[in-house]
Amino acid sequence: MASLKPLITRSNRLLGASLVEQGLVSIDDLDEANDRLVELMSAQANSVQVSLLSILISEKQAIDENKLLELQVEDHGLGLIDVRDIDFPDELKASLDPKAS
C-alpha cells in the first residue's frame, strides 16, 4: 500500500490542478480538499478508496457533478450510456450472479 501513496497523491494533485484550470473549483477549495486528502490518507489503512474528487463533490460540495460531466462530454468527448436503456440477451442474464458485487 505504501508504494501506491506517491502515485495516488500525484494523480490527485494533477486532477486538482486540472479542475482549477477548467474553472470548476476554486484554489481555496482545492487547498482545503488537499489537506483533507492528506488527513484521510494518513488515517486510513485502505487509502486507495480516498480521492480528491470524492472530497470535492461529496464532502465540500465544491464541484457541481453535472457541470463536471458536461465538461467531460462537451470538451473531452466522453460518451455517457444510461445502462437502464440497455437490453441484454437472455443468455447473458442467465449467466450473471445478481448477488455478486
Side-chain angles (χ1 to χ4, degrees):
M1 178 57 214
S3 64
L4 293 177
K5 282 191 177 186
L7 178 62
I8 294 168
T9 302
R10 178 173 160 72
S11 62
N12 278 290
R13 295 231 181 240
L14 290 171
L15 171 65
S18 179
L19 293 171
V20 169
E21 185 178 299
Q22 297 292 325
L24 291 171
V25 66
S26 72
I27 192 74
D28 293 334
D29 285 336
L30 178 61
D31 287 341
E32 290 176 17
N34 276 323
D35 291 342
R36 178 71 172 138
L37 177 67
V38 169
E39 175 187 327
L40 289 172
M41 286 183 66
S42 297
Q44 293 184 3
N46 191 10
S47 58
V48 173
Q49 296 177 346
V50 175
S51 77
L52 184 66
L53 190 58
S54 66
I55 293 167
L56 287 166
I57 290 175
S58 302
E59 287 186 30
K60 295 194 55 49
Q61 298 177 344
I63 295 178
D64 181 349
E65 191 172 1
N66 290 329
K67 287 182 182 177
L68 178 61
L69 287 173
E70 184 178 317
L71 174 87
Q72 294 295 316
V73 170
E74 298 297 326
D75 293 355
H76 302 288
L78 176 72
L80 299 178
I81 298 172
D82 187 346
V83 294
R84 295 172 294 191
D85 293 332
I86 298 175
D87 186 27
F88 295 103
D90 291 335
E91 305 85 48
L92 178 62
K93 290 178 188 176
S95 68
L96 297 176
D97 179 7
K99 295 178 183 174
S101 54

